[in-house]
């Protein structure tokens, strides 16, 4: 088992549950607005955003909230993270896979 993939075999879903319980308030107040502005998220020129390594889907939700109709594609290597994203953070304009 490679060190870089050891978490995949050990992930029983607890990591996804714990990660989703994290309150992203600091990011919502300081981080996301600056990054979204730099990337042009919210402008009409950005129609599709790939959230690579989406985890439980919180950033994908923030992108949809900050944009006017942008489509978000959320992708993660962990099936547990994707399951949490689909279950707890479904939203218009996104797809997970």
């Amino acid at each position: 088992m490679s060190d870089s993939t050891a978490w995949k075999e050990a992930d029983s879903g607890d990591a996804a549950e714990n990660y989703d319980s994290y309150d992203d308030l600091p990011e919502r107040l300081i981080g996301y607005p600056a990054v979204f502005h730099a990337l042009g998220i919210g402008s009409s020129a950005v129609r599709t955003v790939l959230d690579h390594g989406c985890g439980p889907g919180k950033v994908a939700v923030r992108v949809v909230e900050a944009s006017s109709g942008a489509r978000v594609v959320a992708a993660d290597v962990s099936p547990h993270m994707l399951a949490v994203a689909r279950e707890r953070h479904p939203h218009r304009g996104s797809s997970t896979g």
Side-chain angles (χ1 to χ4, degrees), residues 19-33 36 56-63 65 89:
Y19 195 86
D20 187 55
S21 67
Y22 168 74
D23 182 4
D24 66 345
L25 178 64
E27 289 86 350
R28 283 184 281 145
L29 296 177
I30 301 168
Y32 298 144
F36 291 0
K58 288 184 178 182
V59 174
V61 169
R62 305 296 178 231
V63 169
E65 291 171 348
H89 303 288

Side-chain angles (χ1 to χ4, degrees), residues 1-43:
M1 175 167 43
S2 164
D3 289 341
S4 66
T5 60
W7 63 269
K8 290 180 191 176
E9 289 81 13
D11 184 13
S12 65
D14 292 339
E17 296 291 328
N18 293 334
Y19 195 86
D20 187 55
S21 67
Y22 168 74
D23 182 4
D24 66 345
L25 178 64
E27 289 86 350
R28 283 184 281 145
L29 296 177
I30 301 168
Y32 298 144
V35 171
F36 291 0
H37 176 75
L39 296 174
I41 293 173
S43 76

Side-chain angles (χ1 to χ4, degrees), residues 15-97:
E17 296 291 328
N18 293 334
Y19 195 86
D20 187 55
S21 67
Y22 168 74
D23 182 4
D24 66 345
L25 178 64
E27 289 86 350
R28 283 184 281 145
L29 296 177
I30 301 168
Y32 298 144
V35 171
F36 291 0
H37 176 75
L39 296 174
I41 293 173
S43 76
S44 60
V46 176
R47 304 304 308 153
T48 303
V49 175
L50 171 61
D51 183 3
H52 185 265
C54 69
K58 288 184 178 182
V59 174
V61 169
R62 305 296 178 231
V63 169
V64 169
E65 291 171 348
S67 65
S68 56
R71 177 175 174 255
V72 178
V73 178
D76 201 290
V77 68
S78 168
H80 298 294
M81 290 289 192
L82 290 172
V84 169
R86 285 183 186 112
E87 177 185 321
R88 296 190 189 162
H89 303 288
H91 50 280
R92 171 200 58 76
S94 75
S95 59
T96 57

